[in-house]
RNA sequence: GCCGGGAUAGCUCAGUCGGUAGAGCAGCUCACUCGUAAUGAGCAGGCCAGGAGUUCGAAUCUCCUUCCCGGCUCCA
């Protein structure tokens, strides 16, 4: 006989317990253990995460969500966002609030301040101080539910909240709204209630939230920024405050430490420290110059890439940086891409010349130079092509977002029958190449037809998108759909790469294009002696050399593997009398094709020179003294290895070096 | 492009109330000749991003431009 007043709850370990009907998550946690009750921030009931105060009225699978889980941190962060909004209302009466979700590692909240005011960095401190006061007040988070009409009344003077309610009740909830309102037309509201019962703050919200503001404490506001309402640059720009929040101070400190570590491997910082490249103000925004060491790494990257491309059946071509406007009229770039192009130069009595933003039209002209047979296909034209794109001033960022860049660009002309196989070959090729450079964590993204900027029929887009998908699926990698992210002439697959500290970068792109062959009226003569339209595949594997350089630099934290390191070996004579021997080592290694530098003993102590070579992240530091000169040995300091190996035979060292270069380790 | 914050020696940064510029590291010279994470002394280095304005006087206050940083939007 089932007792109707009892509910049976199944816990994550599979055990079942009976509780009175209406029991709450907080009660359940408390019944299991004190420590769990303290750590609890929410509870999942049959998979849905709800407040600890929500009564449970039927049998269910229940799991307590603790603060130190991903789901728990999300609750903490969302609750901290509410706390922040409350602090902002206290300090800026009349502020309007928009949305305030939890995000990776933190949260933000968007506001419109009265009189169009802006937050400053000192406001950040004031807001944070106020948040700590409010947290200490121990305000309870209390959930209320309203109908759509009552909800609208509640937010009558809050236009952004009202818009969200209207959208949701009209069934047009965007992804951002999902965090704010429950989906069934009920308007969820959370109140922050002071111990004396008065309401300090209320917000439109789906929840769940922690029990009380006193649970919040390990947080820090990090930055202020402008952000467009609903991410639309045509709409109101709001003031956004970012913050981070964690289960305890220790976790917060660890997060801040990780940020500091990530900053140390920022490629812009390492570029200066290791003397690799710079952005002279005299040249212009987003235009890099590579110094000798950076130039060496770049050359090595390119050399290996060329070698691999030659082996993969690519032919090498070259094209100029500027061209008459007509080429980009034919290609459609001036219709669809003009915003990203530098303005034209008028030459030769009125002819406009443009800097090229892409290489494809040139490769097309090479293809079109003579009649092509089906026997010529697939035709794979490769070029390190330098392109110029007029990026908006606010988006330029180190080497990852520049206005002048070199792409390892190729265009494959093939038949429709060949296209899926060609895409697959290109995908396998890029993954193999990226692995050779030390990257091995990827997922794929399939970008579909852009809503506004697209040429060609829906059918062609659908066919091209399907071809990409069918080529991508056998790769065994996660495939994420990026709706509307394609280029104007076709859909694309991009390879997203995760680096050593888990950040993801978009690099390689493979794009399928039915349009440009039509616009340029390309054809080939088939076995049937008829003319046919070829398909074009655009692909860049590094994406751009600049961005790939930046990714490798950050991935390796400046410590390039031996095969890529600008200097592979530093030779340090202990004293002047060892210079002759040191030079012999240098000469031998140089003759064998290694990049070697000598740090002589004229000026600095040995310790100083060791320190210098290490700070330059040279893979091998060789110290040579009396014993070495007599025995034909070197003292080997290997980067990342604590112990020094003394008395290593030069031949043995050279062999080790050779192995590491060949293995690209 | 939009919002906010910046720019002082090659690098990292001081510079108070508006009174004409300072350190450490790097560089150069000299001494030291050294077996593993900074030897010592000395020298040199600045149109205080650029321009205009306010002022007796501007690194400092105001405006404009350039460039950088953090976001938004966009992207290889």
């Amino acid at each position: 006989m089932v007792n109707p007043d009892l509910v049976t709850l199944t816990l994550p370990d599979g055990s079942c317990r009976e509780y009175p009907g209406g029991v709450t998550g907080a009660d359940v946690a408390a019944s299991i253990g004190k420590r769990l009750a303290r750590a609890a921030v929410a509870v999942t009931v049959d998979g849905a995460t709800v407040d600890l105060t929500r009564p449970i009225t039927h049998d269910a699978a229940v799991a307590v969500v603790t603060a130190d889980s991903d789901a728990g941190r999300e609750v903490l962060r969302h609750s901290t966002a509410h706390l922040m909004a409350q602090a902002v209302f206290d300090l800026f009466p009349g502020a309007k609030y928009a949305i305030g979700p939890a995000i990776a590692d933190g949260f933000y909240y968007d506001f419109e301040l009265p009189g169009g005011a802006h937050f400053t960095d000192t406001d950040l401190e004031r807001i944070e101080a106020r948040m700590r006061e409010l947290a200490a007040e121990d305000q309870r988070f209390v959930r209320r539910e309203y109908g759509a009409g009552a909800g609208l009344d509640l937010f009558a003077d809050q236009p952004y909240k009202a818009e969200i309610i209207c959208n949701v009740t009209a069934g047009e909830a965007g992804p951002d709204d999902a965090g704010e309102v429950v989906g069934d037309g009920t308007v969820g509201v959370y109140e922050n209630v002071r111990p004396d019962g008065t309401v300090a703050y209320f917000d439109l919200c789906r929840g769940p939230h922690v029990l009380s503001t006193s649970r919040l404490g390990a947080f820090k506001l990090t930055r202020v920024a402008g952000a467009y309402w609903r991410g639309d640059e045509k709409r109101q720009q709001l003031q956004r405050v970012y913050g981070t929040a964690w289960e305890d101070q220790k976790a917060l400190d660890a997060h801040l430490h990780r940020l500091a570590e990530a900053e140390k491997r920022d490629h812009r910082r390492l570029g200066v420290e290791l003397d690799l490249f710079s952005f002279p103000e005299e040249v212009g925004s987003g235009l890099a110059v590579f110094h000798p060491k950076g130039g060496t790494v770049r050359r090595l990257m390119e050399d290996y890439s060329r070698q691999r491309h030659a082996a993969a059946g690519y032919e090498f071509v070259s094209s100029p940086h500027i061209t008459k406007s007509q080429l980009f009229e034919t290609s459609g770039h001036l219709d669809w891409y003009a915003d990203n192009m530098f303005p034209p130069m008028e030459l030769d009595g009125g002819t406009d010349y443009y800097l090229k933003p892409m290489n494809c039209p040139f490769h097309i002209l090479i293809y079109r130079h003579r009649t092509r047979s089906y026997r010529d296909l697939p035709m794979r034209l490769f070029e390190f092509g330098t392109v110029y794109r007029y990026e908006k001033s606010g988006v330029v960022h180190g080497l990852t977002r520049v206005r002048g860049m070199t792409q390892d660009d190729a265009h494959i002309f093939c038949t429709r029958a060949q296209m899926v196989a060609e895409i697959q070959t290109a995908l396998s090729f890029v993954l193999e190449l990226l692995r050779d450079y030390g990257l091995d964590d990827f997922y794929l993204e399939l970008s579909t037809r852009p809503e506004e900027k697209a040429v060609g029929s829906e059918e062609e887009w659908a066919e091209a998108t399907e071809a990409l998908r069918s080529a991508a699926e056998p790769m065994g990698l996660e495939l994420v759909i990026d709706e509307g992210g394609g280029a104007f002439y076709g859909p694309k697959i991009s390879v997203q790469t995760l680096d050593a500290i888990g950040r993801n970068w978009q690099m390689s792109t493979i794009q399928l294009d039915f349009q440009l062959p039509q616009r340029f009226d390309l054809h080939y003569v088939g076995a049937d002696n008829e003319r046919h339209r070829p398909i074009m595949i655009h692909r860049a594997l590094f994406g751009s050399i600049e961005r790939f350089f930046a990714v490798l630099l950050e991935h390796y934290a400046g410590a390039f593997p031996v095969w890529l390191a600008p200097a592979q070996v530093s030779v340090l004579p202990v004293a002047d009398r060892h210079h002759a021997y040191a030079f012999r080592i240098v000469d031998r290694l140089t003759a064998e094709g290694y990049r070697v530098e000598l740090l002589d003993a004229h000026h600095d102590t040995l310790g100083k020179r060791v320190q210098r070579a290490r700070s330059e992240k040279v893979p091998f530091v060789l110290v040579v003294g009396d014993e070495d000169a007599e025995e034909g040995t070197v003292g080997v300091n290997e980067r990342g290895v604590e112990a020094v190996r003394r008395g290593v035979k030069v031949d043995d060292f050279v062999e080790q070096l050779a192995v590491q270069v060949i293995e690209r380790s």
Side-chain angles (χ1 to χ4, degrees):
Chain A
M1 195 62 187
V2 177
N3 185 336
D5 295 333
L6 292 179
V7 291
T8 305
L9 303 184
T10 309
L11 302 175
D13 64 2
S15 66
C16 294
R17 292 195 190 199
E18 288 198 330
Y19 292 91
V23 69
T24 67
D27 298 332
V28 174
S31 75
I32 296 170
K34 259 187 185 170
R35 188 182 293 174
L36 184 66
R38 267 202 307 273
V41 292
V43 62
T44 62
V45 179
D46 287 336
T49 308
V50 299
D51 293 315
L52 287 171
T53 53
R54 169 99 46 118
I56 302 168
T57 54
H58 49 78
D59 296 352
V62 166
V64 174
V65 177
T66 54
D68 59 357
S69 66
D70 286 347
R73 290 188 197 104
E74 190 175 330
V75 172
L76 276 177
R77 287 164 186 162
H78 199 172
S79 298
T80 309
H82 278 216
L83 184 68
M84 178 172 81
Q86 188 183 343
V88 168
F89 283 141
D90 285 356
L91 297 171
F92 299 86
K96 312 293 183 202
Y97 53 178
I99 61 169
I103 53 173
D105 290 344
F107 60 90
Y108 66 80
Y109 217 122
D110 287 347
F111 302 93
E112 181 188 333
L113 297 182
H118 303 292
F119 288 125
T120 65
D121 287 344
T122 46
D123 291 335
L124 215 58
E125 293 164 24
R126 291 171 57 216
I127 296 166
E128 189 172 317
R130 182 64 187 142
M131 286 170 73
R132 298 204 184 280
E133 289 169 14
L134 294 170
E137 281 183 25
D138 195 17
Q139 301 175 0
R140 284 179 301 128
F141 280 83
V142 177
R143 178 183 177 81
R144 310 253 182 239
E145 290 183 1
Y146 297 87
L152 273 176
D153 290 345
L154 206 55
F155 294 101
D157 60 346
Q158 286 291 344
Y160 301 105
K161 296 296 183 189
E163 186 178 328
I164 293 168
I165 294 173
C166 290
N167 282 350
V168 171
T169 51
E172 293 169 3
D176 292 343
D177 301 328
E180 303 289 327
V181 194
V182 288
D184 59 1
T186 308
V187 174
V189 171
Y190 276 80
E191 293 175 347
N192 285 16
V193 181
R194 298 190 187 94
D196 67 7
T198 57
V199 175
Y201 168 84
F202 65 92
D203 197 349
L204 184 62
C205 189
R206 183 183 52 179
H209 284 287
V210 297
L211 290 172
S212 142
T213 57
S214 62
R215 181 65 187 78
L216 311 173
F219 60 79
K220 182 174 165 55
L221 300 187
T222 48
R223 54 184 56 109
V224 294
Y228 300 104
W229 170 232
R230 295 200 176 281
D232 183 344
E233 65 179 328
K234 293 182 190 69
R235 303 194 66 172
Q236 176 78 28
Q237 189 165 47
L238 305 171
Q239 290 290 301
R240 176 171 296 179
V241 180
Y242 282 96
T244 186
W246 295 81
E247 61 271 23
D248 53 33
Q249 190 63 36
K250 197 175 150 195
L252 173 63
D253 290 343
H255 172 68
L256 297 175
H257 181 70
R258 279 195 298 278
L259 290 183
E261 287 301 306
E263 199 179 315
K264 279 188 200 159
R265 61 204 293 158
D266 186 310
H267 74 276
R268 294 166 299 183
R269 177 193 180 115
L270 289 170
V272 173
E273 283 176 6
L274 301 176
D275 196 15
L276 299 171
F277 57 86
S278 62
F279 291 90
E281 192 180 329
E282 295 86 338
V283 180
S285 182
L287 298 167
V289 296
F290 281 76
H291 302 189
K293 285 177 186 165
T296 298
V297 176
R298 202 180 147 128
R299 189 196 89 221
L300 295 160
M301 290 167 55
E302 292 175 357
D303 283 351
Y304 182 63
S305 168
R306 277 200 188 88
Q307 200 182 310
R308 294 300 308 266
H309 277 85
Y314 286 83
E315 301 176 278
F316 292 72
V317 299
S318 174
S319 59
H321 292 205
I322 64 171
T323 181
K324 288 193 282 193
S325 59
Q326 208 209 313
L327 186 62
F328 291 126
E329 281 162 21
T330 306
S331 67
H333 282 87
L334 286 174
D335 288 334
W336 302 101
Y337 205 73
D339 286 351
N340 284 294
M341 292 169 66
F342 279 89
M345 294 165 256
E346 192 185 309
L347 301 170
D348 300 339
T351 308
D352 280 344
Y353 280 76
Y354 282 92
L355 283 165
K356 64 174 171 181
M358 294 187 194
N359 302 300
C360 31
F362 299 86
H363 293 185
I364 289 171
L365 296 181
I366 293 167
Y367 176 91
R368 204 172 68 169
H369 184 68
R370 42 163 280 202
T371 307
R372 304 292 174 182
S373 152
Y374 71 97
R375 293 196 180 90
D376 296 328
L377 306 183
M379 191 168 161
R380 309 183 186 98
L381 303 183
F382 176 89
E383 171 178 13
F384 279 114
T386 302
V387 298
Y388 297 90
R389 298 183 182 175
Y390 185 75
E391 298 292 347
K392 289 189 284 186
S393 61
V395 308
V396 172
H397 181 93
L399 286 177
T400 61
R401 198 72 186 276
V402 292
R403 284 178 168 169
M405 60 172 157
T406 302
Q407 297 182 302
D408 60 330
D409 206 4
H411 295 90
I412 301 170
F413 299 86
C414 65
T415 68
R416 256 186 159 76
Q418 291 168 331
M419 78 183 167
V420 171
E422 277 301 307
I423 296 164
Q424 265 169 358
T425 306
L427 262 175
S428 307
F429 182 44
V430 62
L431 295 177
E432 205 176 305
L433 192 71
L434 292 176
R435 288 189 176 107
D436 282 344
Y437 286 92
L439 301 166
D440 50 18
D441 198 353
F442 314 110
Y443 68 94
L444 302 177
E445 196 171 85
L446 176 61
S447 301
T448 60
R449 189 176 199 269
E451 267 183 37
E452 290 172 6
K453 293 190 167 186
V455 291
S457 68
E458 296 274 4
E459 293 71 35
E460 287 171 327
W461 275 86
E463 185 190 347
T465 307
E466 196 41 47
L468 286 175
R469 184 199 304 276
S470 65
E473 274 166 357
M475 292 297 132
L477 295 172
E478 189 190 349
L479 181 66
V480 175
I481 306 297
D482 166 33
E483 211 63 57
F488 70 85
Y489 49 77
K492 71 179 178 195
I493 290 179
S494 53
V495 179
Q496 305 283 329
T497 303
L498 300 173
D499 73 9
I501 56 173
R503 290 167 306 179
N504 94 296
W505 304 87
Q506 176 179 334
M507 294 187 303
S508 318
T509 59
I510 299 177
Q511 303 176 351
L512 192 49
D513 180 4
F514 295 171
Q515 307 310 322
L516 292 183
Q518 284 173 34
R519 297 182 77 100
F520 282 90
D521 193 25
L522 301 186
H523 44 257
Y524 65 90
V525 178
D528 55 2
N529 204 29
E530 296 291 320
R531 289 179 160 197
H532 300 276
R533 186 78 74 203
I535 303 295
M536 247 179 105
I537 298 166
H538 306 239
R539 40 111 297 179
L541 306 187
F542 292 158
S544 77
I545 295 178
E546 287 77 6
R547 179 177 289 181
F548 194 63
F549 189 105
V551 171
L552 286 186
L553 188 51
E554 300 205 5
H555 179 64
Y556 289 119
F560 286 109
V562 179
W563 74 282
L564 279 173
Q568 297 169 306
V569 181
S570 285
V571 182
L572 281 55
V574 170
D576 281 352
R577 65 179 179 280
H578 309 118
H579 278 180
Y581 181 66
F583 272 118
R584 270 171 40 213
I585 306 284
V586 169
D587 287 346
R588 162 152 187 205
L589 292 171
T590 306
E592 297 199 25
Y594 297 106
R595 299 178 293 281
V596 192
E597 61 180 15
L598 181 106
L599 298 185
D600 68 45
H602 291 313
H603 303 291
D604 295 317
T605 58
L606 182 62
K608 179 70 173 289
R609 287 175 286 143
V610 168
Q611 196 265 339
R612 174 181 305 215
R614 290 188 183 205
S615 72
E616 287 174 8
K617 303 184 194 290
V618 180
F620 290 100
V621 178
L622 303 184
V623 173
V624 294
D626 290 328
E627 299 163 22
D628 296 298
E630 277 171 33
E631 304 290 330
T633 60
V634 291
V636 177
N637 301 260
E638 186 168 354
R639 189 182 58 199
V641 176
E642 273 296 316
V644 177
R645 282 179 289 143
R646 291 278 299 270
V648 176
K649 289 283 179 197
V650 176
D651 287 343
D652 294 343
F653 173 71
V654 171
E655 195 177 323
Q656 182 194 354
L657 195 54
V659 167
Q660 291 206 8
V661 169
I662 287 164
E663 290 179 350
R664 303 180 190 289
S665 56

